[in-house]
Structures are given as structure tokens and as C-alpha cells.
Amino acid sequence: MKKVILTGDRPTGNLHLGHLVGSLQSRVELQLSHEQYIMVADVQALTDYFGNPEKVMASILEVVADYIAVGIDPTLTTIFIQSQIPALTELTTYYMNMVSISRLERNPTVKAEIAQKEFGESVPTGFFCYPISQAADITAFKTELVPVGEDQLPMIELSNEIVRKFNRLYNTNCLKESKAHLSKVGRLVGIDGKAKASKSLNNAIFLSDSAELIKQKVYSMFTDPGHINVSDPGKIEGNVVFTYLDAFCKEKDEIASLKNQYTKGGLGDTTLKSLLNDILQKLLRPIREKRESISSQELMEICFSGTQKARSVAQKTLVEVKDAMGINFFDKKSCCSSFF
Ligand code: TRP
């Protein structure tokens, strides 16, 4: 039996190079050895974008197009849409009874997000509870491994707490604990060098960017502001071009010698940017072409069949959960079967 693995992305824009090295490449490998589910987390995206559901809706097929373009194979991976699985919402409702407000307040990721969003006293309940909804996502599929970045560890911890509490309380083992599968690659910095590459900061190279746009972004990358003349010695640290070369150039010896030359002086930024541009163009061209070759009809079919499968798996878990709690009201009363 293959181990079950589940990940998700919030559909709030197209995916970029940070996603490629941080999660997409490993998903392409993991689908060969695991039973993989990838969830388009539109319900979770709405906890942030409730004022702009159009943006979330418009991003769903873009994200799925990115998945297919990088090599996620819908015959190996189940791709599904969170909002179309009612069992997830039902599980969330029951799990809410097992988590105290103070427990949620201690979640460091949520805490940081609340501060960053400047909610003040008006934290929306839906946002505050999204870790519980995430526990529903994880447990509904009997997930064993959750490939995520470090910021998601508190979510997995909470999910496991809910599992233990539920199983103990209702004397069952229908829910399974899961483990994080931490990504080896750290977050990719944005082209401005200021923060991580992000959709909202507009400092990322997207998988769907045109050749021209990629070039423009590479040539505008932050390097070393003190490196003015080619002959000046330059700094590697904080130099985005080198960060990207480290992430995307396979010739490690070549990078080492370029770094050496750059530090001594005599290597221009334009030479480096031209090299990086060539590498990224080569990497992204087949992805972009594959992306453009898929019709939205095909994408819809992929989402539909993945969602159908996910729905039946999650529904089965929901029935087990309700059985364990003894709340499958009509199912218990066979006299009512003529009702349906
Ligand atoms: N919180 C995740 C993110 O922001 C997305 C997500 C939602 C998720 N549900 C999940 C990830 C379940 C793993 C498992 O990236």
C-alpha cells in the first residue's frame, strides 16, 4: 500500500519559481511513490479574500494549469477543489468542539498572520479557525505525510492533537495522525531581494511569464549595489542573481568559479544575468508551452474527476466520524430508510 500524501495551495494567483523549487518539483517525484492528493484550497483562500471571491475563482484553473505544466500527472495525483467537498466543512464543524480559543491563539503562524494583517480586535472567525479546517483536510484523506514548509508545522501539530482527542473521546481509531514532510529547499527570495518571492508583492517570476517578461525580471534583479564597475569586487550574499543560480544552475563547479571571480572583481552583473536568463528560459519554456497547450475544458475535466474521487474518500471518513460519535441519525434508524 502506498502512503497517502496531501498538500494544498491557496488559489490567489499563478504559481511561480518559489513554488517550483519549494513544492512542485517534489510533488512530481512523490506522485510516483505515494498516493498523492493535491487540494486547491479555495475555502482557505476565501478566509483572506472574502471580499474578492472572483480573484479566487479565476485563480483555480490557473493553479491547476501550473500543476499540469510542471508534470503533475492527473492519472497519478488526485487534484481537487476544496469548496466542492462538503464533508470537509462538516468535519470542521465537529472538530471545532475539540479546540479551545486559547489553543488557536497560541498558533504561531496564525498569530503572525493576525499581526501582519492588522486585524486588531476584529479577527474574522473564519480566518481564526482555518487551522481546524486544515485538520479536516488532512484527516479526511487519512493522510500520512504532509509536505509543507516550516510555517505549516503548527497546523499538523494541531491536526494530530484533534486526532488523538477524537479517537480517545469516542473510543475509535478512525482518524490517523500525520507527519510533516519538510521541504529541503528554503523559501526562494523575490527578485527585489527584500522578501520571499510572493504573488502579492509582485516580485516573483511566474511559471506562465512570457520569455520577454522573464528576461526583463532577470535583468532587474537586485545584485550588489556597491558593485558599480565590472572590475569592482562584488558581494555574493544577498545577491539575488547568485541565489537563483544556486537554485537553478546544475553546474555547481561553474557557479563556484563565478562566485570566486565576482568576489575578486572583473565579472559584470550583465554577464551573470545573461547566464541566469538562459538557464531560466530553458527551464520555463517547456512549462509555458505545456501550459498553453492545455484547454480549459481539459483542466475542468481534471478538476471534476479528481474532485469526485476526493469527495467519496472524504465522505467515507465523515461517515466513520459520525458513526464513532453515534450521530448518523437516519442511518441508525432503518425504519426511516424509505425516507430517501
Ligand atoms: N495552508 C496551506 C498554505 O497556505 C494550504 C493548505 C490548506 C494545506 N489545507 C492544507 C496544506 C492541507 C497541506 C495540507 O500553503
Side-chain angles (χ1 to χ4, degrees):
M1 279 282 275
K2 288 182 176 173
K3 283 197 172 170
V4 178
I5 195 157
L6 171 96
T7 47
D9 295 292
R10 298 178 180 204
T12 56
N14 293 23
L15 302 183
H16 52 64
L17 285 178
H19 296 107
L20 186 66
V21 288
S23 60
L24 297 174
Q25 282 171 341
S26 79
R27 292 176 189 176
V28 172
E29 284 180 20
L30 288 166
Q31 68 184 346
L32 301 172
S33 47
H34 291 73
E35 159 113 34
Q36 179 165 255
Y37 290 87
I38 301 182
M39 180 178 76
V40 182
D42 58 341
V43 175
Q44 197 173 106
L46 284 168
T47 65
D48 251 339
Y49 282 76
F50 49 90
N52 194 357
E54 300 82 9
K55 167 92 181 156
V56 173
M57 280 291 117
S59 299
I60 293 178
L61 287 191
E62 297 293 336
V63 168
V64 177
D66 287 328
Y67 292 160
I68 305 300
V70 299
I72 289 168
D73 176 348
T75 64
L76 298 173
T77 295
T78 306
I79 299 171
F80 68 96
I81 315 296
Q82 187 182 25
S83 64
Q84 304 307 303
I85 318 276
L88 296 177
T89 322
E90 287 189 59
L91 286 172
T92 305
T93 304
Y94 300 126
Y95 294 172
M96 278 180 164
N97 296 321
M98 305 202 181
V99 183
S100 69
I101 289 176
S102 67
R103 178 67 187 88
L104 285 176
E105 276 170 345
R106 284 201 306 275
N107 183 313
T109 302
V110 173
K111 220 172 171 171
E113 284 171 332
I114 288 175
Q116 183 206 343
K117 292 176 204 297
E118 299 178 347
F119 282 133
E121 290 296 296
S122 313
V123 182
T125 318
F127 173 82
F128 189 59
C129 294
Y130 89 74
I132 304 180
S133 147
Q134 193 158 328
D137 305 334
I138 295 170
T139 54
F141 299 93
K142 315 260 167 154
T143 307
E144 292 163 272
L145 283 179
V146 191
V148 280
E150 290 223 7
D151 64 326
Q152 297 295 304
L153 291 178
M155 311 303 168
I156 298 173
E157 196 181 303
L158 179 74
S159 175
N160 287 337
E161 273 176 39
I162 293 173
V163 167
R164 289 193 292 270
K165 210 164 175 175
F166 185 95
N167 286 349
R168 198 175 342 109
L169 187 61
Y170 299 111
N171 196 21
T172 172
N173 59 6
C174 72
L175 297 181
K176 302 273 176 270
E177 290 193 52
S178 60
K179 283 201 178 75
H181 180 275
L182 274 183
S183 146
K184 287 189 270 313
V185 193
R187 299 227 161 174
L188 189 69
V189 72
I191 56 172
D192 54 4
K194 284 194 196 125
K196 66 167 179 133
S198 120
K199 300 169 212 168
S200 52
L201 296 174
N202 201 21
N203 64 354
I205 296 177
F206 292 93
L207 303 179
S208 48
D209 278 350
S210 67
E212 192 43 46
L213 194 51
I214 295 166
K215 185 170 176 195
Q216 218 175 306
K217 288 181 178 176
V218 169
Y219 279 79
S220 73
M221 274 182 176
F222 181 83
T223 56
D224 169 10
H227 185 240
I228 296 163
N229 303 306
V230 174
S231 55
D232 293 341
K235 271 198 301 216
I236 310 292
E237 197 172 312
N239 188 321
V240 179
V241 179
F242 277 111
T243 311
Y244 276 60
L245 283 172
D246 279 333
F248 298 102
C249 176
K250 293 194 179 71
E251 315 293 334
K252 300 300 167 203
D253 293 346
E254 190 187 343
I255 306 181
S257 97
L258 289 172
K259 283 183 179 168
N260 195 10
Q261 210 184 335
Y262 193 80
T263 325
K264 282 199 210 134
L267 180 59
D269 282 357
T270 322
T271 312
L272 283 176
K273 285 178 172 174
S274 155
L275 172 69
L276 178 62
N277 181 52
D278 289 346
I279 293 169
L280 293 183
Q281 295 291 355
K282 219 162 137 194
L283 172 74
L284 291 175
R285 194 161 72 110
I287 294 178
R288 187 172 58 244
E289 284 175 356
K290 176 92 202 265
R291 210 180 181 285
E292 282 161 8
S293 75
I294 327 160
S295 68
S296 42
Q297 176 70 24
E298 284 171 281
L299 293 173
M300 281 300 270
E301 279 163 18
I302 289 164
C303 293
F304 189 76
S305 62
T307 300
Q308 251 184 334
K309 174 174 170 201
R311 197 182 274 170
S312 83
V313 176
Q315 181 61 29
K316 199 163 154 262
T317 303
L318 177 67
V319 169
E320 287 170 14
V321 159
K322 292 176 77 173
D323 271 343
M325 294 172 73
I327 60 166
N328 263 323
F329 185 72
F330 286 118
D331 294 353
K332 286 270 178 270
K333 310 205 173 348
S334 49
C335 61
C336 294
S337 58
S338 57
F339 226 62
F340 300 101

